[in-house]
Amino acid sequence: MMKNYNHSNPMNSTSSNSSEDISIKLGIIGIFLSTIGDIISSYAELLSIDEFQQSQQKVQEYDERIAKLEKQVQYLTQEIQKQKGSKKYY
């Protein structure tokens, strides 16, 4: 007597569905983790841009201070030259 094997065994169907469910869940978890990684990367970029802008502002402030000091040195140099020129020997 030949046995009739039915390929639509409920155990195989449940196993297949369970495997598909795990695959879907893993895919969703992967997407979630990827999104979290993208958010962290974006935040790091924003911090980097902010730090760059702050450093540029400091450079500009230093440049302004140096320019002011250069003007003061030029003024003092001119005053010294005037003093040398106006010295009278008695």
Side-chain angles (χ1 to χ4, degrees):
M1 182 164 159
M2 273 184 108
K3 289 187 177 183
N4 187 5
Y5 290 101
N6 187 353
H7 293 290
S8 61
N9 186 351
M11 291 297 269
N12 288 341
S13 177
T14 304
S15 175
S16 176
N17 285 340
S18 177
S19 163
E20 289 174 1
D21 288 345
I22 290 172
S23 295
I24 291 171
K25 288 177 183 177
L26 287 175
I28 290 172
I29 290 171
I31 291 170
F32 177 75
L33 292 176
S34 177
T35 302
I36 296 296
D38 290 343
I39 290 170
I40 291 170
S41 294
S42 297
Y43 183 69
E45 278 297 316
L46 288 174
L47 288 177
S48 175
I49 290 169
D50 187 46
E51 288 174 1
F52 176 75
Q53 288 174 339
Q54 286 178 358
S55 70
Q56 289 296 87
Q57 185 177 8
K58 285 181 183 179
V59 167
Q60 185 178 359
E61 289 172 3
Y62 289 140
D63 287 346
E64 290 170 359
R65 288 179 66 191
I66 289 172
K68 186 177 179 180
L69 288 172
E70 286 176 341
K71 287 180 183 179
Q72 289 175 346
V73 168
Q74 288 174 353
Y75 173 78
L76 291 173
T77 303
Q78 290 172 354
E79 290 299 312
I80 290 171
Q81 293 302 324
K82 286 181 187 176
Q83 292 295 323
K84 283 183 180 179
S86 68
K87 246 187 192 179
K88 294 182 181 176
Y89 296 96
Y90 294 100

